Amino acid sequence: MFGNTFGRMFRITTCGESYSGGFRKDPAMPRELYGGQMVIVDGVPPGLKITAEIIQEELDKRKPGNSRLSTPRKEADRVFIYSGVMEDNLSTGAPIGMIIPSSDIEDVHIQQHKENRNLVRPGQASYTYYKKYGRYYDWAGAGRASARETAARVAGGAVAKQILDRLGIDVIAYIVESHGIKAAPVTYETAKANYRKNELNCPDLEKAKEMIDDLMMVKAAKDSCGGVVEVIAAGVPAGLGEPVFDKLSAMIAHAMISIGGVKGIEFGDGFKLAAMTGSESNDTPYYDKETGRIRFRTNRAGGLLGGISNGEEIRVRVAAKPTSTILQQQTTVDIAKGTSVEHVFASRSDPTICTRLYPVCEAMMRITLLDAIYMAEGYKKIASVIDPNWEQL
Ligand SMILES: Cc1cc2nc3c(=O)[nH]c(=O)nc-3n(C[C@H](O)[C@H](O)[C@H](O)COP(=O)(O)O)c2cc1C
């Protein structure tokens, strides 16, 4: 498996599976070391205050069992800092290592997965993991394809947040659509004021009630549904992004699409732009006397032009498919026997992944932005060495 590092200068490397710790229950070892998620964060400057409490604040948004709308799996998602932080909780500049032990890895659940190890789980990654890793593939709770993996991303993103906060860059994500029920469009300010007021993190408080009622019905019917999470990054300076392959838009898409269950991403007005004319879609630039900056009257481009940030807020929407593991009988295949079977997969699943997806989107956006800032600032510094006035026309 090669793709476990994200970022070029500010980087996270993660490892960890869903239940593999359950296979290493050696009483001679502290429980925390059986297994879980790990993240190594590279590119952290020295002198940054990092405590387990600071990281925990972000992890608590993602952890399972938070609400009626999330999986009953009970994971504490407690983070332990392992390296890179010393006196007074200040970073030394060395890689920051963190572990998030899995606590809910009971034999009974592993046994359930073992009984189904030869069955293709519809909508899940079991078939493709089997094709890629053969008889050694991790059949216990989706292994590395499990959303447990996203805990490590959130811990890494929490480190990035500490730096972005100082740069005045705020990233927020919230649900704007669930099972086809759409929230009204919101400004950053309204979203910020309202987004933590319900279990869905949906800033349209009326629509959120409708969404929650609907989700309870979907759950009662032992089914699942998808939705859309919107992410705003406010305070992002113009000039981030490295054309042509590492445009900021491309890096954000990479970050988001790498999250399990995410099937699409839109920037600004996104797919709606396809139906517009040029005169309708262009954002009109103007000179803002107050800030001395060029700004745009509208932001249909979502804060990106040519894949480079234009100084307006970055706004993207991420579409998630319905949770694939449902408590219903489904037709599938027994790989070992080569036969079709009807099966109900024992499930401790989320009726929608959106309730726990938004902190992951925030984390991935933060990591992407900080990485882009490192690149852009390094480049600017060198350009200034060549010509100190390079920024003036
Ligand atoms: C926060 C979060 C929670 C998730 N919860 C579940 C779950 O409970 N059950 C499930 O089958 N998939 C869940 N998923 C989705 C799977 O991780 C994803 O469908 C799987 O890895 C297959 O990848 P794909 O859907 O991108 O093809 C979740 C994803 C995220 C981001």
Side-chain angles (χ1 to χ4, degrees), residues 62 71 121 123-125 145-147 150 259-263 321 323-325 348-350 353 356-357 360:
R62 193 218 69 101
T71 166
R121 277 173 72 182
Q124 253 291 355
S146 157
T150 60
I259 305 169
V262 169
K263 294 294 139 198
K321 74 180 195 183
T323 319
S324 46
T325 312
R348 296 197 295 161
S349 261
D350 301 288
I353 72 169
R356 298 173 55 225
L357 175 62
V360 186

Side-chain angles (χ1 to χ4, degrees), residues 123-134:
Q124 253 291 355
S126 61
Y127 175 63
T128 46
Y129 269 58
Y130 158 69
K131 286 306 283 180
K132 195 160 173 74
Y133 304 104

